[in-house]
Amino acid sequence: PKTVSETEELLAFRDINPRAPVHILIVPRKHIASVNELTDDDAALVGRMVLLAQSIARQEGIAESGYRLTLNCNPDGGQTVFHLHMHLLGGRQMEWPPG
């Protein structure tokens, strides 16, 4: 996958099976299996994931038109890779509920 951004604690790369024209995964280097495993100590890390998504959205030219950030949790929530990751999706009108 093509790396879009990298910090000491986060990695962002293009999804290999994109669901939108812009589909980027933002992944902490620290292993956290799912949202259910987050602790108070991870609050700043999750905040930095959101801020990195905001920065990437600007860089990709979708900040003004809009984008979606998604964290899936466990199988019924759509999680298939059990390492916390945030989806940044944009570049088209997003539907609700997601299809």
Side-chain angles (χ1 to χ4, degrees):
K2 185 174 184 275
T3 300
V4 173
S5 183
E6 208 171 342
T7 70
E8 188 175 301
E9 60 186 355
L10 299 172
L11 181 63
F13 54 89
R14 297 194 187 280
D15 195 296
I16 60 170
N17 186 22
R19 305 294 181 163
V22 175
H23 188 169
I24 295 168
L25 301 178
I26 299 166
V27 183
R29 294 181 189 272
K30 174 184 176 183
H31 178 71
I32 302 168
S34 75
V35 170
N36 286 345
E37 307 302 317
L38 290 168
T39 68
D40 287 346
D41 291 341
D42 299 314
L45 174 66
V46 174
R48 285 189 287 278
M49 289 174 71
V50 172
L51 291 174
L52 180 57
Q54 176 194 65
S55 173
I56 293 169
R58 282 194 193 111
Q59 175 184 313
E60 294 288 317
I62 61 171
E64 293 305 313
S65 60
Y67 53 96
R68 176 175 290 163
L69 300 177
T70 305
L71 290 165
N72 299 329
C73 185
N74 288 334
D76 283 357
Q79 186 178 10
T80 57
V81 175
F82 291 88
H83 184 108
L84 184 72
H85 57 285
M86 176 184 290
H87 296 259
L88 164 59
L89 299 122
R92 67 169 171 81
Q93 175 69 50
M94 306 309 288
E95 302 169 5
W96 194 259

